[in-house]
Amino acid sequence: MPQYKQFPLPDTAEGLTDAEILTWHVRPGDAVKVNQVIVEIETAKAAVELPCPWDGVVTEVLVQVGQTVDVGTPIITIDVDPSGAAPAPVPAAPVNGVAVEESGRVPTLVGYGPKSGAAKRRPRKGSPAAAAPVAPAAPAPAPVAAPAPAPAPVAVAEPVAPQGGYVPLAKPPVRKLAKDLGVDLRALTGSGPGGVITREDVEASLAAPVAEPAPSTVDSGARERRVPIKGVRRATAQAMVDSAFTAPHVTEFLTIDVTPMMELRARLKDSPEFRGVKLTPLAFAAKAVVLAARRTPDVNAAWDGPAGEIVYKDYVHLGIAAATPRGLVVPKVRDADRMSLRELAVALEELATTAREGRTKPSDMVGGTFTITNVGVFGVDTGTPILNPGESGILALGAIRDMPWVVDGQVVPRKVCQLALSFDHRVVDGQQGSQFLADVGALLADPAVAITY
């Protein structure tokens, strides 16, 4: 007989409370295997693919694309015994090679699956999943001489996109391309195997002629767009508000001549050790920060109000603010203080590539101790950065420009950069913040100073 199990939305990152359904990779009637990716979700930190914890057949998709649901809410129902033969229960037997815990839960790639008994759904106000009936496991029929008639089929709703129609079939890179280009995949016909939408289909849709719109006769309200605040944008906004109104910010500024640093960069790029490495000013700034933090460890500490303590950390997990199609994210370079300049350059390039492609893991965006925001890549001179919650310092690296500078009493053109340091005045006093900023500036203005640290 059918045996139905519901898969609840798991906590894929520490402290996750909800997530948005981005893409379903299965629909009712599809056979699924253990660890097969069935859905992609967007959390406050990253896009995450969720694997299926069981073998079986999908009977019902409980949450539509675009919906945001709480952790623990059932999102899909799977018949784990579609053959009709109920297996004999064997206590503590391994499931797919994994031992069943005493609680009756089976470890999966995303935590623990639901208990082996009947799953209970938690209703959620305003959610279609709250009102959706759950098909219970049918009781075993009493023995009779003649075969019992087959049970009536269970009516299963097809997954529907927010604006109607089936969820279009396309691989994640193609979905990202369509999102970046503003193409609605539901309006396309896939030319790939099984109707899968390809990159060529998306690009071809842009080349199609578009009729000129008629002159507008409506008010300005019809030319406005309203986008729900969710995902990374909501998490970023909340974190910035919490930080700005919790930690007393102080921002200091320093303008420096980085000509020697740029000359060293040019020499290193031609050396065999750095061949093939993208050596950027950000790598020099990262190295300067971790060196300067040794002399002023307060900027790498954290304020623990509930415990009434300041936590000093003997490591630097360096956060790098990165602008991505999903919004602002701050992935971390773990133990940056133990890395050479070359290792930092390689790590920063990998971090930036992963962030742009939306592949940063949620675990890589927590636990930072200090952050750098490189506003110079946008041609901006400087700013007043807001601290990441739980950190006591953040450095803004401005654009490097050719500017007049006084050298030995003569005005000459030099490579000039502006730095801005924001710090938590509960942890870092003015003298400490000023000393740290001066040290970073000295290391960038004359990299040879590093041998004195």
Side-chain angles (χ1 to χ4, degrees):
M1 67 188 64
Q3 182 178 353
Y4 301 102
K5 288 190 175 182
Q6 291 185 328
F7 180 35
L9 179 68
D11 181 355
T12 60
E14 183 179 357
L16 179 68
T17 59
D18 57 30
E20 177 189 351
I21 304 298
L22 285 183
T23 307
W24 280 107
H25 296 296
V26 295
R27 61 178 61 184
D30 287 352
V32 291
K33 296 291 185 181
V34 170
N35 296 337
Q36 173 185 338
V37 174
I38 57 174
V39 65
E40 183 178 8
I41 65 172
E42 181 175 39
T43 72
K45 295 184 174 71
V48 180
E49 293 181 333
L50 298 183
C52 183
W54 313 293
D55 291 341
V57 174
V58 177
T59 60
E60 188 176 8
V61 171
L62 303 174
V63 182
Q64 297 178 358
V65 169
Q67 276 189 265
T68 298
V69 294
D70 295 332
V71 168
T73 302
I75 59 175
I76 191 171
T77 302
I78 295 175
D79 180 2
V80 298
D81 186 25
S83 63
V90 180
V95 177
N96 298 306
V98 182
V100 178
E101 302 292 323
E102 291 184 2
S103 63
R105 296 181 182 271
V106 180
T108 69
L109 289 184
V110 290
Y112 285 86
K115 294 183 179 179
S116 56
K120 294 182 180 181
R121 297 180 54 197
R122 183 178 65 182
R124 182 170 181 263
K125 185 177 180 180
S127 171
V134 180
V144 293
V154 179
V156 178
E158 295 286 351
V160 180
Q163 299 177 0
Y166 288 119
V167 177
L169 299 177
K171 295 182 178 179
V174 177
R175 294 184 180 279
K176 180 179 182 301
L177 174 65
K179 182 178 179 180
D180 293 343
L181 298 178
V183 175
D184 186 354
L185 291 177
R186 292 172 300 221
L188 304 183
T189 300
S191 62
V196 174
I197 298 173
T198 65
R199 175 180 291 270
E200 291 74 19
D201 296 331
V202 175
E203 294 172 344
S205 69
L206 296 176
V210 180
E212 290 293 330
S216 176
T217 58
V218 297
D219 60 21
S220 60
R223 300 195 298 272
E224 298 176 349
R225 291 187 305 122
R226 289 181 174 267
V227 179
I229 302 172
K230 55 186 179 181
V232 172
R233 173 57 55 195
R234 183 179 64 177
T236 300
Q238 187 60 53
M240 293 300 97
V241 170
D242 292 345
S243 177
F245 293 98
T246 300
H249 285 57
V250 173
T251 304
E252 294 186 341
F253 306 91
L254 180 64
T255 303
I256 54 175
D257 173 11
V258 295
T259 304
M261 182 197 78
M262 298 301 287
E263 292 172 347
L264 174 61
R265 173 174 175 254
R267 293 197 304 272
L268 291 178
K269 288 177 66 176
D270 293 333
S271 68
E273 182 183 1
F274 284 85
R275 190 162 297 145
V277 176
K278 188 175 182 180
L279 185 58
T280 65
L282 178 60
F284 284 89
K287 188 63 177 177
V289 163
V290 298
L291 288 174
R294 295 179 184 174
R295 304 211 319 175
T296 314
D298 305 80
V299 300
N300 195 53
W303 179 272
D304 187 345
E309 299 172 337
I310 296 176
V311 184
Y312 290 90
K313 302 175 182 180
D314 296 328
Y315 57 89
V316 180
H317 290 343
L318 187 62
I320 304 296
T324 73
R326 296 180 60 247
L328 177 67
V329 297
V330 189
K332 321 298 179 186
V333 178
R334 304 289 177 184
D335 295 312
D337 53 316
R338 299 183 180 181
M339 295 184 176
S340 65
L341 178 63
R342 186 187 189 281
E343 290 170 335
L344 275 173
V346 172
L348 291 172
E349 176 61 17
E350 292 176 350
L351 176 149
T353 300
T354 302
R356 285 194 300 267
E357 295 176 355
R359 296 186 291 107
T360 304
K361 300 177 182 177
S363 59
D364 290 340
M365 288 188 279
V366 296
T369 63
F370 189 94
T371 296
I372 298 177
T373 175
N374 186 12
V375 297
V377 296
F378 304 109
V380 174
D381 292 328
T382 191
T384 56
I386 297 178
L387 295 166
N388 276 321
E391 299 177 15
S392 297
I394 180 171
L395 180 76
L397 179 65
I400 297 175
R401 303 185 185 279
D402 291 328
M403 297 183 67
W405 199 259
V406 178
V407 179
D408 298 330
Q410 301 294 322
V411 178
V412 294
R414 304 289 283 182
K415 300 290 185 182
V416 177
C417 176
Q418 293 188 33
L419 307 176
L421 173 70
S422 292
F423 54 87
D424 185 344
H425 217 331
R426 297 173 301 177
V427 180
V428 183
D429 295 334
Q431 182 271 333
Q432 296 163 337
S434 300
Q435 180 62 54
F436 176 81
L437 182 58
D439 285 345
V440 172
L443 289 164
L444 295 180
D446 185 4
V449 172
I451 66 175
T452 67
Y453 280 57

